[in-house]
């Protein structure tokens, strides 16, 4: 699969999406990704850069990234300065899967990416979304942050 590079927040975050996915920027902090088969569902992405001197240890960073996530989820430390977590929510009528990626730039700067995908609970939608979800680990692996 071929990927296209997208640069955000003054070239501090680099995301790579498959060439046939349609990426549009809604605002400086928000992008929407549509898929070649139609306008729904969409992968919504929130991007942010911030300073926080109180996030000064791995445990505090883990607590931050787990805020709003059900207990028992594991934060994965990809390397010395990138943390990630994914989580799912299912109801009778809707599904949601989300991913958070946090890049720590010492001594106190952070870049955050949140991706979310929501879809109705039915067999056809589940089948379509399962193919999208299979692509997400590769997208997460390709994320780059400027130094």
């Amino acid at each position: 699969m071929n990927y296209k590079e997208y640069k955000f927040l003054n070239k501090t975050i680099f995301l790579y999406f498959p060439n046939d996915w349609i990426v549009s920027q809604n605002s400086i902090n928000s992008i929407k990704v549509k898929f070649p088969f139609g306008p729904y569902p969409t992968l919504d992405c929130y991007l942010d850069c911030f300073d926080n001197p109180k996030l000064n240890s791995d445990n505090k960073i883990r607590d931050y990234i787990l805020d709003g996530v059900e207990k028992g989820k594991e934060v994965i430390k990809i390397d010395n300065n990138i943390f990630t977590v994914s989580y799912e929510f299912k109801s009778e009528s809707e599904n949601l899967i989300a991913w958070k990626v946090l890049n720590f730039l010492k001594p106190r700067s952070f870049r955050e990416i949140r991706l979310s995908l929501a879809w109705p609970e039915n067999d056809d939608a589940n089948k379509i979304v399962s193919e999208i979800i299979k692509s997400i680990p590769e997208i997460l692996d390709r994320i780059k942050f400027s130094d």
Side-chain angles (χ1 to χ4, degrees), residues 4-16:
K4 182 176 179 185
E5 177 183 81
Y6 296 88
K7 300 169 191 165
F8 300 100
L9 298 177
N10 294 321
K11 299 181 183 177
T12 59
I13 296 174
F14 298 81
L15 297 174
Y16 300 81

Side-chain angles (χ1 to χ4, degrees), residues 21 46 70 142:
W21 291 15
Y46 173 79
E70 69 185 57
R142 289 175 177 265

Side-chain angles (χ1 to χ4, degrees), residues 76-140:
I76 299 168
K77 189 173 182 180
I78 296 174
D79 65 18
N80 287 337
N81 63 348
I82 300 176
F83 300 79
T84 185
V85 67
S86 65
Y87 54 98
E88 294 180 44
F89 171 78
K90 294 184 180 214
S91 70
E92 286 183 22
S93 61
E94 203 165 39
N95 298 300
L96 168 75
I97 185 164
W99 301 265
K100 289 184 184 180
V101 179
L102 187 69
N103 171 241
F104 174 42
L105 202 61
K106 293 183 181 181
R108 63 187 214 186
S109 295
F110 295 86
R111 289 110 175 226
E112 181 178 19
I113 303 169
R114 285 185 264 152
L115 301 99
S116 63
L117 182 66
W119 69 97
E121 174 54 50
N122 66 59
D123 290 340
D124 291 338
N126 290 341
K127 191 175 188 179
I128 290 169
V129 170
S130 70
E131 293 303 311
I132 296 167
I133 291 171
K134 288 178 188 175
S135 300
I136 299 298
E138 179 71 20
I139 291 166
L140 296 177

Side-chain angles (χ1 to χ4, degrees), residues 6 8 17-18 21-25 31-34:
Y6 296 88
F8 300 100
F17 293 106
W21 291 15
I22 302 145
V23 177
S24 60
Q25 190 163 4
I31 64 172
K32 187 175 288 286
V33 181
K34 295 180 182 173

